[in-house]
Amino acid sequence: MRPGSIEEASVAMRELGAAGRAMRVRGGGTKRGWTSVACEVELETSGLAEIVEHNEGDFTAVVQAGVRLAAAQAQFARAGQMLALDPPLSGDGGEPAATIGGVVATADSGPLRHRYGGVRDLVLGVTVVLSDGTVAKAGGRVIKNVAGYDLGKLFAGSHGTLGLIASVSLRLHPLPATHATVQAQGDDAAALAGAAARLAALPLEADCLDLSWAGGTGSLLMRYSGPTAAARAGETTVFLGELGLADADVTEDDDALWATQRAAQRRDDGGVVVKVSAPPSQTGAVLAAVEALGGQVVSRPALGLAWVSLAPDDDLGERVERLRAALAGAALTVQDGAAHVAARWPAPAPAALQVMQRIKARFDPARICAPGTFVGGS
Amino acid sequence: MDSGARGSTRDLRTLVARMRQIVGDGWVYTDAHELRTYESDGLLQYHAVPAAAVLPGSAQETAAVVRACAEAGVPWVARGAGSGLSGGALPVPDGVLIVMSRMKRILDVDLENQRVCVEPGVTNASVSAAVAPGFFYPPDPSSQIVCSIGGNVAENSGGAHCFKYGFTTNYVTGLELVLPDGELVQIGGKALDPPGYDLLGAFVGSEGTLGVATKVWLRIVPSPETVRTLVAFFDSTRDAGQAVSEIVQAGIVPGAIEMMDQLAIEAAEPMARAGFPVGRRAALLVELDGAARECETRFEEVTAICARCGSDDVRVARDSAERDRFWKARKAAFPAMGRISPNYFVQDGVIPRTKLPEVLARIEQLAGEYGLIVANVFHAGDGNLHPLVCFDSMIDGQAQAAEELSGKILEACLAVGGSITGEHGVGVDKKKHMPKMFSEPDLDCFQRLRCAFDPQGLANPTKVMPTPRLCGEVPGPYRQHPLEAAGLAERF
């Protein structure tokens, strides 16, 4: 099923709702490994592929769900602008097929979240289609607006379970002309995490701050942008030296470094990627737990987010549970490789879950939108 | 007196007695004289006296009060500091006002995680004070000395620095809430991205219609290394607007960019004595903050852009005292209006930044048509206008004309793709304008969220939505989907 317009999508949703046919939205198809639940119907967004507005002077855009993020970025870049969202664009390192709709629906993020926030912080408004055919919008097209409920945030990260996100309006940012990245290596996870915490507490205004760790060694990466990027990166190497990370160096041609960080958030070889959400001070514990488990991890230490990647194995489900046990208090969500794990989602508090179920019942009374793919499992 | 549909005097008496048991006799007010304190919030043209005001001292007491209201079917309104500008905390005449001002403890200052946990009655400014000097809490509504975090959460408050730093919603990482049925729920905490729907995103800015917050976890950020401030004067608001556009286009993200027009400058200067030249058409206050090296480089660029766009008078604050004077002039604009006009309405429209000249011209034209004076101050970076519509309520019909003119200004904002409110909220004041911005299906969709939280419609019932709406039943008994029956899926 491939509606060519929001009106067609409305008709399709209404008919599916009336017939009670379970449906799932498909964008670029790059996150199919994130769920193992089958749906009767796939609604493809490739027919909703228009960049409706790019208001260059206002740094805003209105983009339909099926537009590939890479294509939108190319258009924004021609005006010296960007959408400050840089999640991995494919699951297998292949074609960058991820769509705006898919990124918003899964609230996926990349290294730029350090400075610019996540999907929820960049979506200004949303047009949705519900399972009774209702087409509704919320928010607006200006960067500041408090009129009405912020349904853009509610739908961001809802994994298609409330309805179809048909288009979104977005805040854009200037595309920096220059970058510089400081990189330091170390084989002491606690020291790396400690250095990252020190950097995160300083008013450095870096674009990205990442850690990676695998097989007893890791690195810290911090990226600056703007006219003084290289000079500020140089200052940071001195600071890291004082913290005992002596071999820090600066790379100005740094795109490949960050592509590697993004790519480490995904895997398509039968392994598992688990997103960890924890207070930032848990970063050292996350690295230690991964080391004990024999996996690898990309961490955004100032955010308290990490993506733990486990290679294919007979007991992936059991290893994920061991990770959950080691990081009690953190929320662990399985992304790639969901089929290998019984419990994809962490359990929310029962009272919060009840509210979520009431929201689901109001927005999708026909209960056809991706039933079974979201929080609420054991 | 009997309030009709909602419940009888006797029911209210029973409820008041119940609430006295919950919070103690001294914290429930029913005397008309005592209740007068609470009859308005910061928007004084609306007033209503509640049946009772109750001041709970804890989350448990708040939950018990809300539950008692739910059981009695009595509507309630939560109130923070009462400094809101849209009538969001206006009481419901036959309802209960839940005043959160007793709950003002800072519960946890966790610099390592860059989080603070506070009760809702804590003032905005005291959050930054608690984490200074290394950190600060960026959302800074101009009422920050008195306004409460609970109110900020309800209204998604912004401030002068939100172009760079964002709004309350970008800083709330956790909430403890009392839902309208009296249940106490925690969503989120210190970590980002709690599992499930983004209930924090839905709740922040919901204007007290989805419940009341009893605990708030906030993200704080490192204090900037440097702050540089300048004010530039222009011969037209168009030139000043052009400077704003060029600054943003250059990839510079100032901490604040504020604009004042001639009337606002003239009103503010006698009060602030900042040395602003009366007679100039526009003043642009630009503040850069951040890493010192970046700040210095960018500040030179900003100075050059202002000159290039036609400013022959660019003044750089030499010290923090001068910076404070610049800001005083900007912040004096509202109170100073009282010196040139007996009354004024503040509007809060938002426009795409590039439409500034067009909309200012339209406002000037409308002001002429109505024979009223409109001064303009605005957060120029994010296109949030605060036109001050001046009038004299003693002159017959002028208040009504000013109200009408204010509405036309919002329509002008909507006509260019803007919004009716950027930071003050819809409340009771702008609900009549909601249908101009949102279609009936849009409003219906909002109502779905409201009904999921508050099917009885008791939480701040007369706000936000243009017309009263009831919540229908969720259709049918729950039908299990075949996938669930097969054990393949849980209830989502």
Side-chain angles (χ1 to χ4, degrees):
Chain A
M1 184 169 276
R2 184 180 175 277
S5 66
I6 293 177
E7 294 70 28
E8 285 181 27
S10 166
V11 172
M13 291 288 283
R14 190 173 64 233
E15 287 174 1
L16 290 169
R21 299 175 71 194
M23 56 80 64
R24 179 200 339 271
V25 183
R26 179 190 160 117
T30 64
K31 302 183 184 76
R32 298 171 67 82
W34 289 24
T35 176
S36 55
V37 180
C39 271
E40 212 179 328
V41 178
E42 271 197 346
L43 189 150
E44 290 182 37
T45 59
S46 53
L48 302 170
E50 197 187 336
I51 297 177
V52 184
E53 294 178 16
H54 175 200
N55 307 305
E56 293 182 18
D58 298 312
F59 283 74
T60 59
V62 178
V63 183
Q64 289 188 332
V67 173
R68 286 185 171 191
L69 180 53
Q73 297 286 28
Q75 168 152 344
F76 302 151
R78 284 195 283 277
Q81 301 182 4
M82 65 172 179
L83 171 61
L85 278 177
D86 61 342
L89 297 178
S90 70
D92 55 8
E95 214 183 336
T99 60
I100 294 277
V103 169
V104 172
T106 55
D108 201 10
S109 64
L112 277 178
R113 185 167 178 183
H114 175 76
R115 177 165 187 176
Y116 295 97
V119 168
R120 73 191 300 281
D121 304 300
L122 297 166
V123 170
L124 303 172
V126 67
T127 298
V128 297
V129 183
L130 306 183
S131 60
D132 60 3
T134 296
V135 177
K137 66 176 187 307
R141 293 181 294 158
V142 282
I143 61 177
K144 190 174 185 184
N145 169 34
V146 295
Y149 295 124
D150 197 345
L151 301 184
K153 288 191 177 58
L154 188 68
F155 274 73
S158 65
H159 291 254
T161 59
L162 295 176
L164 166 69
I165 298 168
S167 82
V168 290
S169 65
L170 300 159
R171 179 174 182 176
L172 306 180
H173 284 89
L175 179 67
T178 50
H179 288 111
T181 294
V182 188
Q183 194 177 13
Q185 326 287 337
D187 53 12
D188 178 344
L192 279 179
R198 290 289 299 278
L199 290 174
L202 297 173
L204 300 174
E205 305 209 327
D207 285 17
C208 316
L209 173 60
D210 263 29
L211 292 172
S212 62
W213 183 264
T217 182
S219 45
L220 179 156
L221 297 96
M222 193 166 203
R223 187 183 214 191
Y224 293 96
S225 68
T228 63
R232 291 152 71 205
E235 289 168 0
T236 302
T237 61
V238 175
F239 182 73
L240 287 173
E242 290 164 11
L243 297 178
L245 294 172
D247 297 326
D249 57 20
V250 175
T251 311
E252 290 185 47
D253 186 11
D254 59 359
D255 284 346
L257 288 176
W258 293 99
T260 303
Q261 292 299 106
R262 281 195 293 277
Q265 292 174 228
R266 302 297 309 270
R267 79 185 299 153
D268 73 332
D269 60 353
V272 162
V273 174
V274 181
K275 180 185 168 190
V276 180
S277 157
S281 61
Q282 296 296 301
T283 300
V286 172
L287 300 193
V290 171
E291 179 64 17
L293 210 60
Q296 53 178 316
V297 61
V298 164
S299 154
R300 313 255 131 84
L303 303 172
L305 301 177
W307 283 260
V308 177
S309 179
L310 302 176
D313 189 328
D314 289 339
D315 58 354
L316 277 171
E318 192 258 332
R319 291 171 78 200
V320 169
E321 288 317 309
R322 268 164 54 205
L323 192 61
R324 284 195 165 125
L327 298 171
L332 275 64
T333 304
V334 177
Q335 296 187 331
D336 283 310
H340 304 294
V341 181
R344 204 195 140 193
W345 298 95
L353 181 60
Q354 278 180 21
V355 177
M356 293 178 202
Q357 287 172 333
R358 296 208 297 260
I359 290 172
K360 168 74 173 176
R362 292 280 172 185
F363 281 82
D364 177 25
R367 292 183 185 276
I368 60 158
C369 296
T373 58
F374 201 42
V375 171
S378 56
Chain B
M1 285 292 102
D2 194 309
S3 57
R6 285 293 188 180
S8 68
T9 306
R10 195 167 58 87
D11 291 343
L12 272 175
R13 252 190 236 124
T14 311
L15 175 62
V16 165
R18 177 82 195 95
M19 292 194 302
R20 288 193 201 283
Q21 286 171 355
I22 295 165
V23 300
D25 279 349
W27 299 112
V28 179
Y29 305 142
T30 53
D31 178 83
H33 183 69
E34 289 171 322
L35 291 173
R36 193 140 301 148
T37 312
Y38 301 114
E39 68 180 7
S40 295
D41 62 6
L43 197 61
L44 298 171
Q45 66 257 39
Y46 298 95
H47 33 84
V49 181
V54 52
L55 284 74
S58 68
Q60 285 68 30
E61 286 183 12
T62 309
V65 166
V66 170
R67 189 180 295 276
C69 289
E71 285 167 4
V74 171
W76 55 274
V77 176
R79 177 185 165 112
S83 56
L85 292 173
S86 57
L90 180 74
V92 173
D94 52 1
V96 169
L97 190 73
I98 304 178
V99 182
M100 303 305 288
S101 54
R102 282 177 68 205
M103 293 177 60
K104 52 184 179 191
R105 285 179 301 166
I106 295 178
L107 299 171
D108 181 23
V109 175
D110 180 353
L111 298 182
E112 192 185 5
N113 281 307
Q114 301 185 16
R115 299 289 187 271
V116 175
C117 181
V118 301
E119 290 185 324
V122 166
T123 63
N124 173 291
S126 60
V127 176
S128 280
V131 300
F135 296 88
F136 78 114
Y137 175 64
D140 60 341
S142 55
S143 55
Q144 69 182 139
I145 305 297
V146 294
C147 68
S148 72
I149 290 297
N152 289 179
V153 167
E155 301 296 323
N156 187 19
S157 301
H161 289 82
C162 52
F163 175 61
K164 173 172 177 175
Y165 287 101
F167 320 100
T168 303
T169 191
N170 306 111
Y171 290 88
V172 175
T173 62
L175 289 171
E176 180 188 75
L177 303 177
V178 176
L179 299 175
D181 63 2
E183 180 142 25
L184 200 58
V185 184
Q186 184 180 328
I187 51 179
K190 289 182 182 177
L192 302 179
D193 297 356
Y197 297 132
D198 187 353
L199 300 182
L200 297 172
F203 189 89
V204 177
S206 62
E207 305 197 21
T209 62
L210 304 183
V212 54
T214 50
K215 206 180 274 181
V216 186
W217 282 265
L218 297 168
R219 189 166 64 84
I220 51 170
V221 301
S223 299
E225 197 177 358
T226 307
V227 180
R228 297 295 309 271
T229 310
L230 65 75
V231 60
F233 299 94
F234 294 84
D235 285 328
S236 75
T237 50
R238 182 178 295 270
D239 288 348
Q242 182 61 29
V244 174
S245 285
E246 291 197 19
I247 289 166
V248 175
Q249 199 68 45
I252 302 168
V253 184
I257 325 182
E258 301 282 303
M259 205 192 293
M260 300 165 72
D261 73 0
Q262 183 172 354
L263 278 167
I265 298 168
E266 284 173 6
E269 177 54 27
M271 198 163 158
R273 297 186 189 282
F276 283 18
V278 171
R280 299 305 295 261
R281 296 302 295 264
L284 191 64
L285 192 161
V286 185
E287 185 160 286
L288 298 192
D289 64 5
R293 187 188 290 272
E294 181 74 1
C295 226
E296 295 304 328
T297 306
R298 294 305 212 171
F299 199 69
E300 284 170 28
E301 284 182 61
V302 169
T303 310
I305 288 170
C306 287
R308 190 164 73 234
C309 291
S311 176
D312 56 4
D313 186 358
V314 180
R315 304 180 188 180
V316 176
R318 281 159 300 192
D319 50 34
S320 66
E322 192 163 28
R323 173 182 179 239
D324 290 346
R325 276 198 298 281
F326 290 175
W327 273 107
K328 193 176 173 196
R330 161 61 184 85
K331 290 183 173 172
F334 282 22
M337 277 303 136
R339 298 161 72 122
I340 64 169
S341 172
N343 312 90
Y344 63 91
F345 292 139
V346 182
Q347 273 307 338
D348 181 38
V350 188
I351 56 169
R353 191 173 42 231
T354 49
K355 306 292 187 190
L356 196 60
E358 186 183 323
V359 173
L360 287 180
R362 175 76 181 135
I363 291 174
E364 198 175 324
Q365 180 202 352
L366 284 167
E369 284 171 21
Y370 280 84
L372 294 173
I373 288 174
V374 180
N376 286 289
V377 292
F378 34 89
H379 308 301
D382 41 38
N384 187 190
L385 310 181
H386 290 312
L388 301 149
V389 179
C390 300
F391 65 97
D392 183 347
S393 62
M394 301 305 282
I395 297 175
D396 213 26
Q398 221 179 60
Q400 201 187 335
E403 167 74 20
E404 214 176 290
L405 170 56
S406 296
K408 295 270 189 201
I409 290 172
L410 292 186
E411 283 169 24
C413 293
L414 288 175
V416 296
S419 166
I420 57 174
T421 176
E423 56 186 2
H424 295 172
V426 175
V428 72
D429 188 47
K430 287 183 279 293
K431 63 180 185 174
K432 62 179 172 292
H433 300 299
M434 285 288 276
K436 297 173 191 162
M437 183 164 172
F438 295 107
S439 70
E440 194 53 33
D442 301 343
L443 295 170
D444 166 70
C445 210
F446 291 153
Q447 182 69 5
R448 292 179 194 232
L449 182 70
R450 194 167 186 163
C451 292
F453 279 83
D454 184 21
Q456 278 185 280
L458 295 178
N460 216 6
T462 55
K463 314 296 166 63
V464 182
M465 294 302 236
T467 50
R469 281 157 206 260
L470 295 174
C471 296
E473 290 295 311
V474 178
Y478 175 65
R479 288 176 292 122
Q480 199 174 39
H481 192 275
L483 285 171
E484 295 167 43
L488 293 171
E490 301 295 336
R491 283 183 72 146
F492 280 82

